[in-house]
Amino acid sequence: MAADLQPRSEISFLETFFCSALAACLAEFCTIPMDTAKVRLQLQKKAPVGEGGHLPKYRGLLGTVATIAREEGLAALWNGIIPGLHRQCIYGGLRIGLYGPVKSFLVGSDLIEDTYLFQKILAALLTGAIAIAVANPTDLVKIRLQAEGKLPPGVPGRYSGALNAYFTIVKQEGLAALWTGLGPNIARNAIINAAELASYDHVKETILKIPGFIDNVFTQLLAGLGAGFFAVCIGSPIDVVKSRMMGDSTYRSTLDCFIKTLRHEGFFAFYKGFLPNFGRLGSWNAVMFLTFEQAKRFLFGAA
């Protein structure tokens, strides 16, 4: 009987999927205003020199949030929340749900405690790529809705909501259009997933080796913030290209978007929205990993 009360060291794929999807949806809801600000900053193009010299509309995280709230209403900061939740249910559930099984497959279940960092990175790259290939349509619709600004009176928006956006894109652009930007999206999410999961896994293991640290809320928050920092440093250039391709259909390819952005705006354009991106990813990872760990513990008794 006593053995039954011991924490479980492993939970099933479906249990992991449920906990990670729940955690990802909560993190998405809490942080989407920063994500909306990040998308607007990334889509904002540099004003041509000598043509009025006007300041950019969006400036910094708080400035962008304030501008959107003032001009479009507070609810506009949650534009894209429905496809965002769709995305997290699918992508958030799969990328973490598959991480453990893929890692075990790569190293063998008997050696899972001795996994090297590069094996964690490889497992996370694979699960991130698989998950976003399935979830790409939800990402596309989320970006399209977030990119919508305030329109003049009498001018209707492109989409009336998430479901309308899915149907409109398919009707006007074809089914394949839902996978627009798949290349940079796979690259971005595979890399960011590797940065997040592998760094969280590794940072947490490292912290737990320090005398006095245990696997508690504080350790999980530290590891989550570390995962967010690594993710935004590595993934920001790909994230900018992905956002621009999904939000603006004038680019012919990933390479075309990369070259035009670099030529017209310079290298640092790839780090537009860095602070809101880190603010969002740092807080997103802290909320997500903390919720995930606690959900495993309280719902399924996992250690």
Side-chain angles (χ1 to χ4, degrees), residues 62-262:
L62 295 180
T64 302
V65 168
T67 298
I68 295 170
R70 182 176 64 252
E71 294 186 352
E72 305 168 40
L74 198 61
L77 292 168
W78 275 266
N79 278 353
I81 185 60
I82 299 302
L85 295 177
H86 294 167
R87 177 187 189 274
Q88 293 306 337
C89 280
I90 300 170
Y91 174 71
L94 284 176
R95 74 181 185 116
I96 297 177
L98 290 172
Y99 177 66
V102 170
K103 189 169 65 169
S104 296
F105 174 78
L106 291 175
V107 302
S109 56
D110 295 336
L111 302 173
I112 196 68
E113 297 298 328
D114 300 316
T115 310
Y116 293 109
L117 179 59
F118 81 89
Q119 293 169 322
K120 297 173 184 174
I121 292 172
L122 179 57
L125 282 170
L126 290 172
T127 60
I130 293 167
I132 202 58
V134 176
N136 196 81
T138 63
D139 221 5
L140 176 76
V141 170
K142 177 188 169 188
I143 292 287
R144 292 279 182 96
L145 290 174
Q146 286 178 315
E148 294 274 280
K150 187 177 183 180
L151 299 169
V155 178
R158 288 187 294 176
Y159 315 113
S160 62
L163 290 178
N164 176 256
Y166 288 116
F167 288 118
T168 301
I169 291 168
V170 171
K171 183 178 178 181
Q172 295 181 352
E173 304 173 45
L175 183 63
L178 290 173
W179 277 268
T180 297
L182 180 61
N185 211 14
I186 285 179
R188 180 238 183 213
N189 283 279
I191 290 169
I192 287 182
N193 195 51
E196 286 178 353
L197 294 190
S199 63
Y200 180 82
D201 203 353
H202 207 69
V203 168
K204 185 179 170 186
E205 281 184 11
T206 302
I207 292 174
L208 290 176
K209 291 176 183 177
I210 301 172
F213 281 89
I214 59 173
D215 188 359
N216 58 12
V217 169
F218 182 67
T219 298
Q220 292 159 12
L221 283 174
L222 282 180
L225 287 171
F229 178 76
F230 284 115
V232 74
C233 286
I234 294 168
S236 191
I238 303 169
D239 196 35
V240 170
V241 172
K242 182 211 76 167
S243 291
R244 290 194 170 191
M245 285 194 68
M246 288 184 166
D248 185 344
S249 59
T250 60
Y251 297 111
R252 295 192 304 271
S253 65
T254 303
L255 184 61
D256 178 56
C257 181
F258 179 86
I259 291 172
K260 284 181 177 176
T261 301
L262 183 63

Side-chain angles (χ1 to χ4, degrees), residues 33-42 44 55-70 77 271-280:
M34 287 183 281
D35 192 46
T36 299
K38 177 206 73 173
V39 168
R40 296 288 182 91
L41 285 167
Q42 289 177 336
Q44 179 170 258
L55 294 173
K57 181 178 180 179
Y58 302 118
R59 304 183 70 190
L61 171 60
L62 295 180
T64 302
V65 168
T67 298
I68 295 170
R70 182 176 64 252
L77 292 168
Y271 284 89
K272 276 189 173 182
F274 181 87
L275 286 178
N277 205 3
F278 172 63
R280 197 252 174 173

